[in-house]
Amino acid sequence: MNIHTQKLSAGEDNHSRFQKLTDIIIPLLDETQITTENGTFYFQIDDDKGIFDDPDRDGMSYYNIRIEFQTL
């Protein structure tokens, strides 16, 4: 999963911005089990790669999190 943000011109830097986003997203994905009428799904974070600059988009950065899931 990649979370993209634009480079900020002033104020908050991307690292603190990504920290705020990952503080919300990681608990939703790590060791989470969801049961629906279609089955039970289990998610966990396999690798938290961190922040990268996107060479294809000037001024953009992304945060990469590899997740695994399975149906039970």
Side-chain angles (χ1 to χ4, degrees):
M1 177 176 73
N2 289 330
I3 305 165
H4 288 265
T5 65
Q6 291 183 338
K7 186 176 183 179
L8 302 174
S9 58
E12 189 173 40
D13 67 6
N14 275 343
H15 290 273
S16 64
R17 192 171 186 197
F18 278 122
Q19 186 63 50
K20 288 179 182 177
L21 292 170
T22 57
D23 285 349
I24 295 167
I25 293 169
I26 287 176
L28 298 174
L29 298 173
D30 197 23
E31 306 292 330
T32 300
Q33 182 173 314
I34 300 170
T35 302
T36 70
E37 61 189 38
N38 297 317
T40 299
F41 304 90
Y42 179 76
F43 295 88
Q44 72 182 57
I45 294 175
D46 181 52
D47 195 5
D48 185 341
K49 299 262 186 202
I51 300 171
F52 296 90
D53 291 327
D54 190 337
D56 297 330
R57 298 181 184 169
D58 187 36
M60 296 281 289
S61 298
Y62 66 95
Y63 194 103
N64 180 263
I65 301 170
R66 181 178 172 166
I67 58 172
E68 290 184 350
F69 83 96
Q70 69 184 101
T71 57
L72 305 173

